[in-house]
């Protein structure tokens, strides 16, 4: 698993770069119709110059301020606030000499004013709820949220996004990274359990953030009442987050979700070492409980197996979504691996030994390939005698659970055959030359295999 810290490479602005508003007085200007009329007249050109998406509904000319250019000259800046018919409002700063218009939205201005009351904040009635523009952006990630407060946390320049924290009416909020031009990516939601340091949530309690995972935990295990939760890691290759869930009165587990908190998969704590392990559930207890659970699931196959260990090898990416589980038990000499269907599925379990697993290009952990090759040496000697196995090529699964193999001998003899279901002999085995002459569906593929030249009068069978 390729895991990386979520905030790796993220650089927040340590200090906000403010325009002319920094020099304005703390008191908001008293609204008058002349300044409103001038603001309405100036707004369209300033909106166009700033490049912000805004169809103006109201505007107000705040006044002039001064700032110094890079060469030390003092220039006047014209400052206008606008309210947009859709989306948030803005404060626009225009440098008449250069024509450059800088902008910050009202949520950013509100946050800067909260940190330093000398900063301008939006005062038009239409901008009073400066955070309302975030609600439609948040809905795809949190359908129940109506944003009731928000603050600007800073700009992530390398990602061309602004980061905001939002609070919801009666429920947990979160963080959202909103792209700015020329970035056209979708906004990125961040759960408060992930947010740390300067980005830690202040509108959402740890309990609220934890309870946000309750519906996901129910999908993983219906009986779990979430008591604790924490974010473990993000797998950037899978675009997945991993959370530990602590359940009231029973062992917890790990859930895998999308970054937008859509449930994907469940893992028990015995499988969590690679991503930091569980803190809310004893690992040895989890291992014993999980082993018992997987042993019980194996009963559907009817195979004898006293399970001493098991390994979940993966989950089918499509179709039946069955888990591939390898079991260790003394009754199954050649190993046991089973495709187990999920609970409630009508799919059937599929049983394989390690001969079949290797033929399907999947290795076993409890029965090494070397042990399988040794058995092939025993079987070929029983069938052809004059063969010390040099190499075995497992070709696939044949009829009646046979395994198709190619065997290369040290004396250049070579054979293809079907190992019987019992793995105690061959259903059929022929020399490479015979398989070729008779155009068998399986052929010798190992370079040089079957090139043995028999003495005069003998056959290469």
């Amino acid at each position: 698993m390729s895991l990386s810290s979520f905030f790796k490479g993220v650089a927040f602005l340590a200090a906000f770069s403010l325009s002319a508003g920094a020099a304005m007085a703390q008191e908001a200007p008293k609204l008058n119709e002349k300044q409103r009329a001038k603001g309405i007249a100036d707004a369209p050109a300033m909106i166009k110059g700033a490049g912000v998406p805004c169809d103006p509904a109201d505007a107000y000319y705040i006044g002039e301020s001064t700032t110094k250019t890079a060469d030390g000259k003092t220039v006047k800046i014209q400052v206008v606030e606008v309210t947009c018919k859709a989306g948030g409002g803005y404060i626009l700063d225009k440098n008449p000499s250069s024509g450059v218009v800088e902008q910050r939205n009202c949520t950013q201005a509100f946050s800067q004013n909260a940190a330093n009351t000398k900063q301008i904040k939006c005062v038009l009635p239409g901008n009073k709820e400066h955070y309302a523009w975030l609600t439609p952006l948040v809905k795809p990630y949190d359908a129940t949220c109506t944003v009731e407060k928000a603050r600007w946390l800073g700009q992530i320049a390398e990602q061309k996004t602004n980061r905001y924290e939002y609070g919801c009416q009666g429920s947990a909020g979160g963080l959202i990274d909103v792209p700015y031009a020329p970035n056209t990516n979708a906004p990125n939601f961040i759960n408060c359990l992930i947010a740390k340091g300067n980005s830690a949530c202040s509108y959402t309690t740890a309990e609220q953030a934890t309870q946000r995972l309750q519906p996901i935990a129910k999908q993983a295990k219906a009986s779990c009442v979430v008591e604790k939760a924490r974010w473990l890691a993000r797998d950037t290759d899978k675009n997945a987050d991993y959370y530990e869930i602590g359940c009231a009165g029973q062992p917890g587990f790990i859930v895998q979700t999308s970054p937008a908190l859509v449930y994907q998969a469940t893992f028990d704590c015995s499988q969590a070492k690679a991503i930091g392990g569980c803190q809310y559930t004893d690992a040895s207890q989890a291992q014993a409980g999980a082993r018992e659970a997987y042993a019980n699931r194996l009963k559907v196959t009817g195979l004898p197996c006293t399970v001493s260990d098991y390994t979940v090898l993966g989950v089918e990416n499509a179709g039946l979504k069955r888990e591939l589980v390898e079991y260790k038990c003394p009754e199954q000499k050649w190993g046991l691996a089973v495709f187990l269907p999920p609970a409630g599925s009508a799919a059937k379990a599929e049983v394989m030994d390690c001969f079949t697993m290797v033929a399907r290009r999947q290795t076993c952990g409890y029965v090494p390939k070397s042990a399988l090759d040794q058995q092939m040496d025993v079987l070929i000697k029983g069938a052809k005698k004059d063969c010390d196995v040099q190499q075995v090529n497992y070709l696939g699964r044949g009829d009646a659970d046979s395994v198709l193999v190619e065997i290369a001998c040290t004396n250049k003899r070579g054979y293809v055959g079907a190992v019987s279901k019992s793995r105690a002999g061959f259903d059929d085995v022929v020399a490479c030359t015979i398989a070729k002459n008779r155009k068998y569906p399986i052929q010798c593929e190992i370079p040089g295999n079957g090139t043995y030249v028999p003495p005069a009068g003998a056959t290469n069978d």
Side-chain angles (χ1 to χ4, degrees):
M1 182 178 295
S2 175
L3 301 173
S4 64
S5 170
F6 179 67
F7 292 113
K8 184 178 180 181
V10 176
F12 293 98
L13 296 183
F16 302 132
S17 177
L18 303 179
S19 58
M24 301 298 288
Q26 178 179 352
E27 293 291 330
K30 294 181 180 180
L31 302 183
N32 67 68
E33 291 309 309
K34 285 186 178 181
Q35 284 180 266
R36 178 170 264 155
K38 178 172 173 53
I40 291 171
D42 292 348
M46 292 182 72
I47 289 169
K48 183 177 180 181
V52 294
C54 180
D55 183 5
D58 197 1
Y60 193 80
Y61 176 69
I62 295 175
E64 289 186 344
S65 181
T66 59
T67 189
K68 289 188 179 293
T69 62
D71 58 5
K73 293 182 180 179
T74 299
V75 295
K76 291 184 178 181
I77 301 296
Q78 296 174 342
V79 184
V80 171
E81 178 189 347
V82 296
T83 297
C84 307
K85 292 179 180 178
Y90 296 90
I91 290 177
L92 306 175
D93 305 324
K94 181 179 180 180
N95 183 335
S97 61
S98 66
V100 173
V101 181
E102 295 182 355
Q103 58 84 16
R104 57 195 184 278
N105 66 34
C106 288
T107 301
Q108 179 178 345
F110 167 85
S111 303
Q112 292 173 339
N113 176 266
N116 180 357
T117 55
K118 292 183 178 181
Q119 302 287 347
I120 291 175
K121 65 179 180 180
C122 296
V123 295
L124 285 172
N127 290 331
K128 182 178 180 180
E129 295 183 351
H130 63 84
Y131 44 79
W133 67 280
L134 283 169
T135 293
L137 296 183
V138 167
K139 286 291 186 183
Y141 310 99
D142 190 352
T144 64
C145 177
T146 298
V147 176
E148 66 175 0
K149 50 191 170 184
R151 64 189 181 115
W152 180 68
L153 296 179
Q155 186 180 94
I156 310 172
E158 64 186 52
Q159 297 178 13
K160 293 182 170 57
T161 60
N162 283 303
R163 176 162 292 180
Y164 301 89
E165 181 191 0
Y166 65 89
C168 303
Q169 293 179 6
S171 61
L175 272 63
I176 189 167
D177 290 341
V178 181
Y180 59 82
N183 182 0
T184 58
N185 294 334
N188 179 49
F189 165 78
I190 304 165
N191 187 338
C192 284
L193 289 176
I194 298 177
K196 305 294 181 184
N198 292 335
S199 286
C201 292
S202 60
Y203 302 145
T204 300
T205 66
E207 182 180 2
Q208 286 176 317
T210 295
Q211 290 307 308
R212 187 169 194 158
L213 291 172
Q214 181 67 70
I216 293 171
K218 286 290 185 184
Q219 287 182 270
K221 189 175 184 180
S223 61
C224 176
V225 176
V226 176
E227 193 171 55
K228 300 176 182 178
R230 67 187 183 106
W231 178 76
L232 292 176
R234 170 162 290 183
D235 185 334
T236 55
D237 293 336
K238 294 181 179 178
N239 196 31
D241 285 321
Y242 296 87
Y243 295 89
E244 179 187 0
I245 304 294
C247 304
Q250 60 180 291
F253 47 85
I254 306 297
V255 290
Q256 175 185 321
T257 75
S258 73
L261 289 180
V262 175
Y263 172 79
Q264 293 178 340
T266 308
F267 305 93
D268 64 73
C269 284
S270 63
Q271 300 171 265
K273 184 178 290 187
I275 50 176
C278 287
Q279 291 183 1
Y280 309 141
T281 300
D282 181 81
S284 60
Q285 274 188 332
Q287 177 70 34
R291 184 169 60 246
E292 181 180 0
Y294 275 99
N296 288 334
R297 291 178 68 185
L298 181 62
K299 292 177 181 178
V300 299
T301 67
L303 292 172
C305 180
T306 305
V307 178
S308 62
D309 203 355
Y310 77 99
T311 301
V312 178
L313 300 177
V315 179
E316 290 175 302
N317 291 328
L320 302 177
K321 294 289 185 181
R322 298 175 301 178
E323 281 185 290
L324 178 58
V325 183
E326 182 186 0
Y327 290 91
K328 183 180 181 181
C329 52
E331 296 91 339
Q332 304 299 326
K333 181 179 180 180
W334 303 117
L336 176 63
V338 185
F339 276 109
L340 291 172
S345 171
K348 293 183 178 180
E350 181 182 353
V351 175
M352 298 171 288
D353 64 8
C354 292
F355 285 105
T356 303
M357 287 280 282
V358 173
R360 294 178 67 162
R361 305 298 182 263
Q362 176 76 50
T363 59
C364 285
Y366 303 128
V367 180
K369 182 177 179 293
S370 59
L372 307 180
D373 291 350
Q374 288 174 7
Q375 178 66 0
M376 287 297 101
D377 188 67
V378 171
L379 297 185
I380 196 64
K381 280 182 167 61
K384 294 298 181 181
K385 299 187 184 303
D386 189 18
C387 179
D388 291 320
V389 171
Q390 183 178 57
Q391 185 178 345
V392 182
N393 185 14
Y394 296 86
L395 301 173
R397 197 171 192 174
D399 296 334
D401 287 330
S402 64
V403 172
L404 307 177
V405 298
E406 174 191 0
I407 296 174
C409 309
T410 56
N411 59 7
K412 302 299 183 183
R413 289 184 185 273
Y415 301 94
V416 291
V419 181
S420 66
K421 181 179 179 179
S422 68
R423 309 309 189 223
F426 286 96
D427 288 336
D428 188 24
V429 60
V430 299
C432 293
T433 53
I434 295 175
K436 183 177 181 181
N437 292 336
R438 295 180 182 177
K439 297 183 179 178
Y440 275 28
I442 58 172
Q443 297 287 326
C444 292
E445 301 173 356
I446 298 171
N449 196 21
T451 57
Y452 170 78
V453 178
T459 61
N460 184 6
D461 60 356

